[in-house]
Amino acid sequence: MKAAIIGLGLIGGSIARRLRGFYDCTIAAYNRTSETLLLAKQDGVIDEGSSDPAEVMENADLIILCLYPQLNVDMIKNNIPHIKSGAVITDVSGVKSFMIDELAKILPDDVDFIGAHPMAGREVGGYKSSTDTLFNKASFLITPTSKNKSENIALIRELAEYIGCKHVVTTTPEEHDAIIAYTSQLMHVVAVALCDNPMIERSTFFSAGSLRDCTRVAIINAEMWSELFVENKDALVERIHEMQNSLGKIADAVENSDRDELEKIMRHATAQKMKWLMD
C-alpha cells in the first residue's frame, strides 16, 4: 500500500509518525516547504516527499488530506488525473458537509472519499509540533455516506485505531457539523468575544485563573478558523443564538435580582457538567 499525506503540519505529521507498519505501507508526503519534507525524511517519518502533489498522489491507495478544507478540495480538483482508480481518500477537516458536497462534484465514481475528523490538537502547529502521542486516547469521527464502500469505511476505522485513537465514532456529516459547532467552534467564538472586550486591558492583576482558562483558545489561527466558521455557518450561527438565549436568561435574572432563578440555572449547569463532561 502507498499512503499519501497531503500537508505535513501538526495533524499530518502526527499521523505520519504513527503510520509506520500500517498494511506495510510506503509513506509519501506532500508539503509546500521542502525543508519540512527533508526533516521528516531525516526523522524516518516518511519514505518519500515532494512539493509536487501529483507526484505524491500518483499510485496512492490511500490519500489523507491534511490542509484547510478549501485547499483540500482544490488539491484534489487540480490532481484528478493522478488519482488511481479504487483509491480511498479521507481528511482531517473540522467541517464535513462542505468537504463531502464539494468533492462529490469532482471525484469519479471509482474513487471513495470518506470524511473523518480526529479530535486532537495543540495550541502550536507545524511539523515540528507533531508527536507520535497526539492521538492517544482521542476520539476519531467518521462520517460515511451511502456512496461509501463498507470495506473502505472499515479501512478508515482501522487507520484511526492504528494511530492510537481510543473512541472511533461513526456519525452523519450533518450531526458532526451541528455538534462540532458547539464543542469546538462556539468555544473559539466565546474566547474571541471575551478578548474583544476592552475590559481585558485592565484585567492583568484581577484574574485568579478563570479568565485565562476561558480564553485559552483565543490564541487562534485566524485564517483557518474564519474559513471553518463560514463553511459551517448555518450550524454555528444556530449555536451562537442558543448561547445568546442562555446569556439572556442569566442577564434577566441578574437584572431582576432573582436569586432563585440564578440558583436554578447554576444547579442545572453543574449537574450537566458533572453528568457529561467529567473525566
Side-chain angles (χ1 to χ4, degrees), residues 71-203:
L71 286 175
N72 283 333
V73 173
D74 293 342
M75 190 66 66
I76 294 299
K77 183 184 295 184
N78 295 334
N79 290 280
I80 287 290
H82 304 283
I83 299 174
K84 66 184 270 187
S85 175
V88 178
I89 303 176
T90 190
D91 75 323
V92 300
S93 305
V95 290
K96 294 277 73 83
S97 295
F98 171 84
M99 286 295 301
I100 290 168
D101 291 346
E102 291 300 306
L103 289 179
K105 300 173 185 176
I106 56 178
L107 281 176
D109 291 338
D110 59 354
V111 174
D112 215 3
F113 172 71
I114 300 169
H117 185 192
M119 300 305 298
R122 301 179 67 187
E123 292 175 23
V124 288
Y127 173 76
K128 291 183 179 179
S129 299
S130 65
T131 168
D132 60 3
T133 60
L134 184 68
F135 305 110
N136 288 359
K137 299 182 179 180
S139 296
F140 190 100
L141 310 179
I142 304 176
T143 59
T145 69
S146 59
K147 296 180 180 179
N148 296 140
K149 295 180 179 179
S150 59
E151 61 267 30
N152 294 336
I153 298 171
L155 176 68
I156 302 307
R157 176 175 286 272
E158 287 182 65
L159 170 69
E161 294 170 346
Y162 193 86
I163 64 175
C165 294
K166 183 177 181 180
H167 304 286
V168 183
V169 179
T170 300
T171 184
T172 65
E174 295 78 15
E175 183 177 48
H176 170 279
D177 290 352
I179 297 176
I180 290 299
Y182 169 70
T183 62
S184 179
Q185 294 174 353
L186 183 62
M187 301 305 106
H188 287 79
V189 169
V190 171
V192 167
L194 286 168
C195 291
D196 190 45
N197 190 317
M199 287 296 293
I200 197 172
E201 299 169 17
R202 301 165 55 192
S203 301

